[in-house]
Amino acid sequence: TEIRLSMADGSIITASQVFAKKVRIGQFTVENVECAVLPEEAVAAEPLLGQTFLGRFTFQLDADKGELKMTKVEGEEAGARGGAA
């Protein structure tokens, strides 16, 4: 499915909406994660971990240390596993 995305610089691009069977970050695995695949010309776009993954956790980002701490949201059944990272 094609979707339109607004980039940080205000530009609009067309991307492909797909579902990743599994996404693993450290000890956490989430199944069936909605993703956007950007076109080749979006070479300056940084990879993002979005709410379709992070929304299944409580999380805290320490940018100075480059650390992401995650805890599974209680009652979440969608393939997430583990405790604090």
Side-chain angles (χ1 to χ4, degrees):
T1 304
E2 284 193 355
I3 56 174
R4 294 175 49 87
L5 302 173
S6 177
M7 305 303 287
D9 66 1
S11 63
I12 304 293
I13 64 170
T14 300
S16 296
Q17 178 187 23
V18 298
F19 286 85
K21 289 181 182 181
K22 290 184 183 180
V23 175
R24 181 174 178 195
I25 305 294
Q27 68 190 42
F28 297 101
T29 301
V30 176
E31 297 176 353
N32 200 30
V33 178
E34 183 180 2
C35 303
V37 178
L38 303 182
E40 288 183 29
E41 58 270 13
V43 294
E46 292 289 329
L48 296 174
L49 186 60
Q51 285 297 343
T52 58
F53 181 88
L54 290 173
R56 302 176 190 200
F57 303 91
T58 58
F59 61 92
Q60 179 180 11
L61 178 63
D62 186 331
D64 292 333
K65 293 182 182 179
E67 293 179 351
L68 173 65
K69 296 181 180 182
M70 301 187 321
T71 303
K72 179 182 167 189
V73 173
E74 291 301 317
E76 179 60 54
E77 300 285 331
R81 296 191 302 257

